[in-house]
Amino acid sequence: TSIQSRFERFVNKFKYVIYNLRGEQRKALLDLRPQVQDVWDYALVGKKIELYRENFFKLLRNNNIDAIVMPGVPFPAPQHENTNGTTLAFTYPFIFNVLNCPAGVVPITRVQVGEECFDEEKDHNYKQDSLFKLAKAIVKGSKGLPVGVQVATLPYEEEKCLRVMREIENKIQFHEHPL
């Protein structure tokens, strides 16, 4: 390994310790992820993604799963002043980009009175976490903003994805009864 890659690993371990001391356990774990060092690492990552795709699609097909319906994002649309640092919160729906799956988001409800805050007692482990603080700021004052679900299907099944989204829209009737 090169001096640069050893230095980068040292810096990441140092950041891991600092993040943990600041109560940022989730950010600390991100800095332990493997880094792509060269073209061979990149090729290996590509191979791992391809293997993951094959296993994921096999799992869906073997269990007769036509579509996945999940939260679109973990919180309502952020205010402009709260957009910095939100990328991490959007990573779980990104899996469908990596898998090359068609996906879309359908609004199903709006944030109601009483839903625009975090339960401090329930989430006490993350009070020092900057991601928790950011999410708390985003949710504050979000009453009335739409909340959606994401629908995803296997690759090349765009029509099925759109059909499931339409079925959800028809059942929920968000636009006819938005509140």
Side-chain angles (χ1 to χ4, degrees):
T1 60
S2 70
I3 292 173
Q4 180 181 357
S5 65
R6 286 191 304 229
F7 179 73
E8 287 173 358
R9 280 196 302 273
F10 168 77
V11 169
N12 283 341
K13 288 179 183 177
F14 180 74
K15 286 168 48 180
Y16 176 81
V17 171
I18 297 300
Y19 280 140
N20 272 305
L21 290 173
R22 291 178 52 202
E24 300 263 9
Q25 288 83 9
R26 291 184 283 188
K27 280 188 176 180
L29 291 173
L30 286 175
D31 280 321
L32 290 181
R33 67 194 184 282
Q35 303 292 317
V36 174
Q37 300 294 328
D38 55 31
V39 69
W40 300 110
D41 285 347
Y42 186 77
L44 182 62
V45 168
K47 190 65 179 164
K48 287 180 179 179
I49 289 171
E50 190 57 38
L51 182 62
Y52 183 85
R53 289 181 72 197
E54 289 172 16
N55 290 331
F56 186 81
F57 300 153
K58 184 179 178 181
L59 178 72
L60 292 181
R61 287 185 181 108
N62 288 346
N63 290 287
N64 297 315
I65 297 173
D66 290 328
I68 296 172
V69 179
M70 60 185 267
V73 291
F75 42 70
Q79 301 85 354
H80 288 292
E81 64 270 11
N82 290 328
T83 56
N84 286 341
T86 58
T87 304
L88 185 62
F90 293 98
T91 56
Y92 71 90
F94 288 172
I95 189 66
F96 299 113
N97 294 64
V98 173
L99 296 173
N100 197 27
C101 293
V105 177
V106 180
I108 59 167
T109 189
R110 294 186 185 271
V111 177
Q112 305 297 311
V113 174
E115 296 176 338
E116 52 196 330
C117 62
F118 276 88
D119 183 352
E120 294 282 338
E121 293 302 315
K122 179 181 170 191
D123 298 313
H124 68 278
N125 292 334
Y126 297 114
K127 281 186 180 180
Q128 298 302 316
D129 187 313
S130 62
L131 299 173
F132 175 81
K133 290 176 184 175
L134 178 62
K136 187 175 172 182
I138 288 170
V139 171
K140 184 178 180 182
S142 63
K143 178 184 166 281
L145 289 176
V147 177
V149 293
Q150 181 174 13
V151 177
T153 56
L154 291 169
Y156 311 110
E157 294 186 355
E158 286 83 357
E159 294 86 2
K160 187 181 288 182
C161 184
L162 291 169
R163 188 188 79 231
V164 172
M165 291 171 65
R166 185 181 65 229
E167 288 176 15
I168 292 170
E169 282 182 328
N170 290 341
K171 184 70 174 173
I172 301 293
Q173 298 182 352
F174 175 81
H175 295 291
E176 285 80 16
H177 309 287
L179 289 178

